[in-house]
Amino acid sequence: MTKKVLVLPGDGIGPEIVGQATRVLDALIADHGLDMAYESALVGGSSFDEHGVPLTDEVLEKARQADSVLLGAVGGPKWEQFEIAVRPEKALLKLRSELELFGNLRPAILYPQLASASSLKPELVSGLDVLIVRELTGGIYFGQPRGIRTKDNGEREGFNTYVYSESEIERIAHVAFRAAMLRDKRLCSVDKANVLEVTELWREVMTRIGKEYPEVELTHMYVDNAAMQLVRAPKQFDVMVTGNMFGDILSDCAAMLTGSIGMLPSASLDANGKGMYEPIHGSAPDIAGQNKANPLATILSVSMMLRHSFGEEALADKIENAVSTVLDQGYRTGDIYTDGMKLVSTTEMGDAVLAALK
Ligand code: IPM
Ligand code: MG
């Protein structure tokens, strides 16, 4: 059966980078036997401008019907004046929670060609390959109650709830342990169990589920230490698993170790392997519309989609090899540019990947 993919370019650089990723999809469909069809729809600020909401029911339904979703990025200063409930980011959060995409995989891999683009010394990061498994549909992002209220004395206070049920921790634990089994079999669970009861439970459940994976070495680390270790000696990690908010922060940190957040794809998976795939970077409004953005994270998101949702390992390898080839050839967008390399635009990078796929 032809696989159906919903493509949601979004805002800012979203349409430019997704445009290059769909060129890659087109090539795989036309020349490499990929049995897939995709359609595009509005999401985020661009949907808000058109329909007054960042995600329409119709698009949500399309996402439900699709076998997977490819997303660019959402958000921008233009929409920051509006209330949180209709901000572009809300579309992302709603897609994640409505589709139950609780398992977020954020690999931080340093391409050897980019070692000099990292903000850390090359010897600290060369060969870096860390996978952050972030819980994506719970924790403080979604906990109730939440809001801004006025106290009896007239002062306002903002509040959110950091909550995880055992079953939510169990299912993300299984995702992380299974991922570790396919790698170096080392899992570091990140929490703040010295202060927060919710993560005391997190640690307890991780330890219990760990007994089902005796081959995996499980360690625990407080989040502040984990942030420090990531910039001190990042190669000590194989797989890290953590909650929604800590994962948000640590994955940006890990991304930067690889030279550019513009290189990193992500997968957000439900219990059945359906996923939403997106670069981990944002909509970069400062360079939007200038044909400058790095499309490689989005192109690599396509490869994650082929691997994790469609079992197309060979085609996924093909994309990853093509990306490695263009880096070998010296092509660099501005974010990963270093002296002596060939500075290219978004579309030129797309051209180079397509040529390398041939
Ligand atoms: C991410 C982003 C999102 C998040 C924002 C855009 C809502 O930072 O995917 O990491 O916080 O999850
Ligand atoms: Mg983030």
Side-chain angles (χ1 to χ4, degrees):
M1 267 248 293
T2 306
K3 299 291 184 206
K4 284 192 303 184
V5 172
L6 179 66
V7 175
L8 301 172
D11 311 320
I13 59 171
E16 297 163 66
I17 53 177
V18 168
Q20 302 312 309
T22 53
R23 287 176 74 198
V24 169
L25 271 182
D26 291 339
L28 296 181
I29 293 167
D31 304 330
H32 300 281
L34 178 63
D35 190 10
M36 177 182 288
Y38 63 87
E39 64 169 319
S40 300
L42 294 177
V43 73
S46 53
S47 168
F48 178 80
D49 289 348
E50 186 83 14
H51 304 291
V53 286
L55 180 71
T56 62
D57 292 343
E58 193 196 337
V59 173
L60 177 59
E61 186 52 32
K62 281 186 180 175
R64 279 191 215 285
Q65 297 302 325
D67 295 304
S68 274
V69 178
L70 177 67
L71 187 130
V74 297
K78 184 176 169 195
W79 303 284
E80 272 163 20
Q81 52 178 307
F82 299 105
E83 53 171 332
I84 284 192
V86 295
R87 292 242 193 103
E89 290 78 3
K90 203 72 189 178
L92 206 54
L93 298 173
K94 192 164 174 185
L95 280 164
R96 289 172 180 172
S97 84
E98 292 284 327
L99 303 180
E100 290 186 76
L101 306 171
F102 64 89
N104 186 211
L105 308 182
R106 299 192 162 191
I109 296 169
L110 181 90
Y111 284 82
Q113 301 94 323
L114 298 181
S116 59
S118 173
S119 44
L120 292 195
K121 297 186 198 89
E123 63 269 26
L124 286 182
V125 290
S126 72
L128 181 77
D129 180 355
V130 180
L131 174 67
I132 296 189
V133 178
R134 169 187 177 194
E135 199 291 327
L136 202 60
T137 55
I140 198 165
Y141 271 50
F142 292 95
Q144 295 289 347
R146 62 191 294 158
I148 298 172
R149 63 190 165 205
T150 305
K151 298 194 289 183
D152 290 345
N153 68 2
E155 188 193 5
R156 292 192 310 153
E157 68 181 2
F159 59 100
N160 288 86
T161 303
Y162 190 177
V163 56
Y164 270 119
S165 62
E166 278 190 283
S167 59
E168 285 177 306
I169 305 169
E170 282 164 11
R171 64 183 186 176
I172 194 69
H174 284 293
V175 170
F177 279 106
R178 284 198 301 263
M181 283 298 288
L182 297 173
R183 297 171 46 107
D184 204 29
K185 300 193 173 63
R186 289 181 296 120
L187 178 62
C188 178
S189 171
V190 176
D191 61 40
K192 190 72 187 175
N194 51 344
V195 178
L196 303 172
E197 286 82 355
V198 46
T199 68
E200 196 186 327
L201 181 68
W202 175 281
R203 187 176 280 219
E204 186 193 309
V205 173
M206 283 290 158
T207 305
R208 168 160 56 76
I209 300 298
K211 302 217 160 57
E212 296 174 37
Y213 300 85
E215 285 174 57
V216 177
E217 177 199 297
L218 173 68
T219 52
H220 304 275
M221 200 179 271
Y222 298 140
V223 61
D224 48 350
N225 186 24
M228 181 172 75
Q229 296 301 329
L230 265 177
V231 292
R232 190 188 74 87
K235 284 192 274 182
Q236 69 185 281
F237 297 111
D238 176 29
V239 181
M240 303 174 88
V241 61
T242 190
N244 206 342
M245 183 170 59
F246 296 162
D248 178 45
I249 299 164
L250 293 180
S251 61
D252 267 29
C253 183
M256 201 54 224
L257 304 177
T258 70
S260 169
I261 198 166
M263 291 299 300
L264 298 183
S266 75
S268 307
L269 302 169
D270 74 2
N272 308 310
K274 172 171 175 168
M276 181 158 82
Y277 297 83
E278 50 179 315
I280 91 155
H281 60 70
S283 60
D286 53 320
I287 56 164
Q290 298 174 31
N291 198 23
K292 275 186 184 168
N294 184 348
L296 293 179
T298 319
I299 290 171
L300 289 167
S301 299
V302 172
S303 119
M304 280 195 101
M305 171 186 287
L306 295 178
R307 204 181 286 290
H308 292 277
S309 288
F310 300 136
E312 297 277 3
E313 300 284 337
L315 290 181
D317 287 345
K318 210 172 169 55
I319 296 177
E320 285 160 22
N321 290 337
V323 167
S324 195
T325 301
V326 304
L327 295 175
D328 283 338
Q329 291 166 336
Y331 294 112
R332 302 284 188 275
T333 42
D335 57 312
I336 51 175
Y337 179 79
T338 45
D339 278 350
M341 295 294 132
K342 299 173 204 154
L343 184 64
V344 292
S345 66
T346 309
T347 45
E348 286 166 341
M349 188 59 108
D351 294 343
V353 172
L354 286 178
L357 274 177
K358 285 255 159 67

